[in-house]
Amino acid sequence: MDNSDMKQIQWFPGHMAKTRRLIASNLSLVDAVVEILDARTPLSSRNPEMDKLTRNKPRMVLLNKCDLADDKATQLWVNYFKNCGCAALAVDCKSGKGLKSILPTIKNTVLKELMEKRAKNGMTGAAIRLMIVGIPNVGKSSLINKLAGSKRAKVEDRPGVTRTKQWVKLDNNTELLDMPGVLWPKFEDQDVAIRLAFTGAISDDILDIETLAMKLLSYLAENYPASLTERYKIELSEEDKGFELLEKVGKKRGMMISGGEINTERAAITVLDEFRSGKLGKITLEAPPQKEQ
Ligand code: G4P
């Protein structure tokens, strides 16, 4: 992508250092780490230091928001993570799809050795402790609320209360460590930042809204042309660049300003909103790397 028109994203290394310390100091309290990613952007929504941060802890990846992602691509991503030695499941915290498989997968796969050791020592009742991590907006709170039910106290919503780490009980012998602190994605990679802006995971003002929508339209025309022709009833031609596509959408939707010009800003807002809410169909924004990274 040509990202020369992009604003530099501000991020705060201090926050990351604090979160890094929190994870490091709590790692010994848990048996496994559950990492939540966005199924539409599995690598872009990943904290680049996760391998280093969680060291050798058994780990599981959840590809959340699979209701918005391309099912075939999600399956490729599940296989990709499995080939990297990490259990992976596609889940949807909105409908609850896939959530019932999380704890059995952890017990039977991720923590198989530990469970066998405990069974041998007559300790099958001992609690399993999990740490849940993920960049903002990926669905951590939704997951915890779905798994723990409504009993969970929402400490972070009370003004003046500093959020500390909380143990959330999932069942009689599973506890989840809900960590405060913010894990950042790999902001300094501009393609990553653009994909995250497409999904709304980070503020979309890294680019002006029209440029962002044009980039999304170009990606869709190349990878999911039917989603554009079906949703907007437009015809695509080989020569169409992002701007022509944006104009076609605006024109078709009757978004005009005085003088017969097309209101491309309104069209841009519409395209991004409709993509984010799934109205353009199930779309994935990146494919697994060919080789393990
Ligand atoms: P976080 O704690 O990691 O920051 O994420 P959070 O659970 O707050 O979720 C961020 C947004 O993503 C929420 O939408 C949430 O509803 C949505 N979300 C979470 N999981 C899924 C999923 O599997 N599928 C879909 N389609 N959306 C999901 P929001 O617009 O911020 O709030 P609201 O729509 O719930 O009011």
Side-chain angles (χ1 to χ4, degrees):
M1 277 189 240
D2 169 20
N3 302 324
S4 48
D5 36 11
M6 202 171 151
K7 265 198 252 169
Q8 273 305 315
I9 297 170
Q10 293 293 318
W11 71 294
F12 307 100
H15 290 182
M16 188 59 214
K18 194 173 159 204
T19 307
R20 204 186 283 127
R21 278 198 303 276
L22 270 169
I23 292 183
S25 61
N26 286 290
L27 209 55
S28 62
L29 304 179
V30 299
D31 303 303
V33 174
V34 177
E35 184 183 7
I36 313 188
L37 306 176
D38 186 320
R40 296 164 297 174
T41 52
L43 282 194
S44 297
S45 61
R46 191 163 216 212
N47 177 277
E49 294 185 53
M50 196 44 74
D51 287 334
K52 214 166 71 191
L53 285 173
T54 55
R55 283 177 259 136
N56 297 324
K57 269 294 154 188
R59 186 149 41 117
M60 168 169 209
V61 161
L62 296 180
L63 293 163
N64 189 33
K65 309 199 186 185
C66 72
D67 54 313
L68 298 173
D70 177 342
D71 292 323
K72 272 195 200 144
T74 301
Q75 193 49 51
L76 292 176
W77 277 109
V78 166
N79 296 343
Y80 167 81
F81 285 109
K82 283 186 179 164
N83 288 337
C84 295
C86 201
L89 272 182
V91 297
D92 161 5
C93 288
K94 262 212 160 140
S95 74
K97 189 178 159 224
L99 300 185
K100 281 206 174 83
S101 306
I102 298 176
L103 294 183
T105 307
I106 289 174
K107 290 178 188 171
N108 301 330
T109 312
V110 184
L111 293 177
K112 190 164 179 262
E113 267 177 43
L114 178 74
M115 301 311 285
E116 284 170 357
K117 205 162 118 193
R118 285 186 178 175
K120 226 163 129 189
N121 298 334
M123 291 173 59
T124 41
I128 292 172
R129 297 202 168 93
L130 307 169
M131 180 188 285
I132 185 146
V133 294
I135 67 165
N137 248 310
V138 84
K140 290 178 300 299
S141 312
S142 307
L143 176 79
I144 296 170
N145 287 337
K146 278 267 184 210
L147 290 180
S150 51
K151 330 182 264 302
R152 182 176 168 244
K154 282 199 126 196
V155 177
E156 68 269 41
D157 290 350
R158 268 187 263 144
V161 176
T162 310
R163 221 194 127 202
T164 52
K165 75 179 183 205
Q166 286 183 71
W167 286 99
V168 180
K169 222 170 154 57
L170 299 191
D171 62 23
N172 280 340
N173 68 348
T174 316
E175 288 167 16
L176 202 74
L177 182 56
D178 180 12
M179 297 279 293
V182 178
L183 274 174
W184 298 104
K186 198 173 174 181
F187 273 151
E188 58 279 21
D189 178 329
Q190 299 198 325
D191 287 335
V192 165
I194 287 175
R195 282 186 209 109
L196 295 174
F198 287 163
T199 63
I202 60 172
S203 163
D204 56 21
D205 66 6
I206 54 162
L207 279 175
D208 76 84
I209 196 99
E210 285 165 77
T211 310
L212 192 66
M214 287 191 282
K215 284 183 189 289
L216 178 61
L217 285 167
S218 300
Y219 176 83
L220 296 176
E222 201 177 325
N223 297 281
Y224 294 93
S227 71
L228 293 182
T229 52
E230 279 164 26
R231 177 79 195 165
Y232 298 115
K233 313 282 178 246
I234 53 173
E235 280 185 25
L236 304 180
S237 97
E238 292 264 312
E239 296 87 65
D240 283 345
K241 298 267 183 299
F243 186 69
E244 286 77 29
L245 293 166
L246 195 57
E247 282 202 320
K248 282 185 180 179
V249 171
K251 193 166 172 201
K252 204 70 188 185
R253 290 282 174 97
M255 295 168 170
M256 311 301 279
I257 31 183
S258 57
E261 229 178 279
I262 298 165
N263 189 338
T264 44
E265 190 183 341
R266 256 185 80 199
I269 293 168
T270 300
V271 167
L272 287 164
D273 276 354
E274 296 193 354
F275 167 73
R276 289 171 188 162
S277 60
K279 291 195 178 103
L280 290 172
K282 295 176 67 125
I283 288 162
T284 296
L285 296 170
E286 59 191 348
Q290 293 302 313
K291 275 198 196 147
E292 195 184 314
Q293 281 193 331

